[in-house]
Amino acid sequence: MIKRQIYFGLQTLSLLFFIFLFTTSCRHSEEKKEVKTNKFVIAFTSGTISSQDPVRVVLKLPDEMYRVSSKEPPQDIFLLKPFAKGKTYWVDQYTLAFKPDKPLENGQQYHAEVDLNRLLGINDKENGTFRFGFDVVPLKFHIKLTGLEPVQNKKKYRLSGRLTASDNVPPEELERALIAEQEGKKLPVHITRAQQNAAWQFTVENIERLKRESLVTLEWKGQWECSGFDKNEELKYAVPSLESFRFIGVRVVDDPDQKVILEFSDPLDRNQDLNGLVYFTEDIPIRINIENNKIILY
């Protein structure tokens, strides 16, 4: 009987503790999301933004107060927590913005305060300070290889790929994060921005075509998460030997035009007649081009 009472007491205590944690968690979540309305503010930065976006507040002021936008605002009326240095400026007569000197930290939640009392030259206890919050998008990457190309009279290869990210990052940081090696020898990696934002094209240069098949290993050394690798955060690519000719693979490209690309280990004869050699099993008309080591079907 005593054991049963003790067991029941422990169950009750555990349930009360769970309810306390749940209530506290919900209250904390509500407090974090709640923004007190302000009669001078009609819009502001919220949700998730890029690390390079300015933080903005759109004001609704009496007509006599709009003169403040004709003067440069005080530089210390915008406060971010965690702290960030930057420049405060007027975008237009309604919109005040803060542009950080350096990109904000990805994955970080920020709290902002704007000293409206000082900006507007008033002394309003209820509306004189506007507080709000926002998140900076977590930084994640995805890598995809897009082709192997013979160069320098078939003695070397160039490996190409595409890197996409959840936010903008300087190319030099990506070049430090993406490491390529062949048989223990480090290979140069060049990264250029693609046409769309937060996307890059990269090439691995000076891949030797040896007398035997070798491996190029790509490793991700960055502090950010990158998918497309195996669980060891590396990707191995087989390089054909100098004396072999073989089919490497096929891939489908949808942008900008839909096409099928067949890749081979060596350059192909552009004058070769491929009629009857390359076709779809269904009777679909196609246009065929040969580019270096690729057969492209449109």
Side-chain angles (χ1 to χ4, degrees):
M1 182 69 176
I2 294 176
K3 289 183 179 179
R4 188 177 302 168
Q5 288 176 342
I6 292 174
Y7 178 69
F8 178 76
L10 288 174
Q11 281 187 317
T12 305
L13 183 61
S14 298
L15 179 60
L16 290 173
F17 182 66
F18 172 77
I19 293 173
F20 171 76
L21 285 179
F22 179 77
T23 306
T24 304
S25 174
C26 289
R27 188 182 301 121
H28 175 72
S29 177
E30 290 172 359
E31 288 174 355
K32 184 175 71 173
K33 293 181 179 179
E34 182 181 356
V35 177
K36 187 177 180 181
T37 57
N38 188 295
K39 68 179 183 180
F40 297 121
V41 177
I42 58 173
F44 53 91
T45 294
S46 62
T48 302
I49 67 171
S50 167
S51 62
Q52 300 178 26
D53 282 346
V55 183
R56 301 189 181 197
V57 173
V58 182
L59 303 176
K60 180 182 180 182
L61 304 175
D63 292 340
E64 64 272 13
M65 285 189 178
Y66 276 116
R67 67 182 185 277
V68 299
S69 61
S70 63
K71 301 178 182 179
E72 185 172 333
Q75 289 302 301
D76 56 352
I77 62 168
F78 238 114
L79 176 63
L80 291 189
K81 298 178 182 179
F83 179 75
K85 288 184 177 181
K87 178 178 175 58
T88 303
Y89 61 96
W90 289 103
V91 178
D92 52 44
Q93 64 176 332
Y94 310 103
T95 308
L96 186 69
F98 174 82
K99 179 67 175 177
D101 291 340
K102 297 180 180 179
L104 298 175
E105 183 180 347
N106 289 98
Q108 177 67 52
Q109 182 182 80
Y110 283 85
H111 299 275
E113 291 185 7
V114 183
D115 188 347
L116 296 177
N117 276 333
R118 189 173 174 203
L119 175 69
L120 304 177
I122 58 176
N123 185 17
D124 189 321
K125 292 184 179 180
E126 185 175 351
N127 299 281
T129 301
F130 179 60
R131 298 179 177 89
F132 61 101
F134 57 90
D135 297 314
V136 180
V137 61
L139 193 55
K140 295 183 179 181
F141 294 89
H142 178 74
I143 193 169
K144 182 180 181 181
L145 298 180
T146 57
L148 189 69
E149 180 183 8
V151 293
Q152 295 187 15
N153 199 23
K154 303 187 297 183
K155 293 183 179 180
K156 291 190 176 183
Y157 278 120
R158 176 187 296 120
L159 181 63
S160 301
R162 182 177 178 85
L163 190 64
T164 54
S166 59
D167 201 2
N168 287 306
V169 178
E172 57 270 18
E173 291 191 25
L174 297 177
E175 289 181 352
R176 287 194 292 267
L178 186 59
I179 308 298
E181 291 185 351
Q182 181 187 22
E183 305 291 313
K185 178 184 176 182
K186 190 173 180 179
L187 300 172
V189 177
H190 299 305
I191 296 180
T192 57
R193 185 174 293 277
Q195 292 182 349
Q196 68 184 83
N197 289 334
W200 294 264
Q201 306 287 354
F202 72 87
T203 58
V204 180
E205 307 285 348
N206 292 341
I207 300 174
E208 297 282 350
R209 193 171 183 186
L210 306 176
K211 291 184 178 180
R212 55 180 174 78
E213 185 177 279
S214 60
L215 290 176
V216 168
T217 303
L218 291 174
E219 293 184 82
W220 184 255
K221 297 291 187 181
Q223 57 182 319
W224 322 287
E225 176 185 341
C226 186
S227 61
F229 294 89
D230 64 16
K231 61 183 179 181
N232 297 318
E233 293 192 344
E234 66 178 24
L235 181 64
K236 295 185 182 295
Y237 192 93
V239 179
S241 67
L242 186 60
E243 298 176 354
S244 68
F245 173 80
R246 63 183 177 87
F247 174 66
I248 294 178
V250 59
R251 56 192 173 94
V252 178
V253 178
D254 292 318
D255 186 32
D257 300 312
Q258 190 175 54
K259 53 193 173 185
V260 178
I261 300 177
L262 310 176
E263 289 189 347
F264 296 83
S265 59
D266 291 85
L268 304 173
D269 184 357
R270 297 188 63 180
N271 297 318
Q272 182 174 352
D273 184 5
L274 297 177
N275 288 326
L277 297 178
V278 180
Y279 56 89
F280 288 112
T281 53
E282 298 180 6
D283 189 16
I284 300 175
I286 58 173
R287 180 165 56 91
I288 302 176
N289 278 350
I290 295 178
E291 294 181 7
N292 198 348
N293 63 322
K294 301 176 180 67
I295 296 177
I296 305 175
L297 311 178
Y298 297 91

